[in-house]
Amino acid sequence: MSIHITRAEELPYKFAEALNTGQIDKFDNFIVADYINHNPYVPDGLEAVKNFFKGLDNIFPRYQSKC
């Protein structure tokens, strides 16, 4: 299933939805492969972002993102 974003304002909600449902692979639909991360603790790139949030879910399984 692919996520279609029609307005930039929808992006945070789609991000939170993917994160909160554990569907990190949906990040493929709205984060580019060569994403430059501004978090100094997370390397650049889509896979690094996905790995970071998968790890976060393992450490804080009840974590919920809010917009």
Side-chain angles (χ1 to χ4, degrees):
M1 177 178 166
S2 118
I3 298 173
H4 180 70
I5 297 174
T6 56
R7 296 179 18 197
E9 295 86 8
E10 295 176 8
L11 182 59
Y13 298 97
K14 296 297 182 183
F15 177 83
E17 177 185 26
L19 186 58
N20 293 340
T21 60
Q23 297 176 330
I24 304 301
D25 288 332
K26 286 187 176 183
F27 286 6
D28 295 346
N29 296 302
F30 48 82
I31 298 177
V32 295
D34 59 350
Y35 173 75
I36 297 173
N37 205 320
H38 300 284
N39 180 340
Y41 302 104
V42 181
D44 292 342
L46 170 61
E47 291 306 313
V49 172
K50 289 167 51 176
N51 289 334
F52 173 79
F53 283 105
K54 287 176 184 175
L56 184 67
D57 190 51
N58 289 333
I59 297 169
F60 301 105
R62 294 190 177 124
Y63 173 84
Q64 291 286 297
S65 179
K66 297 190 190 254
C67 294

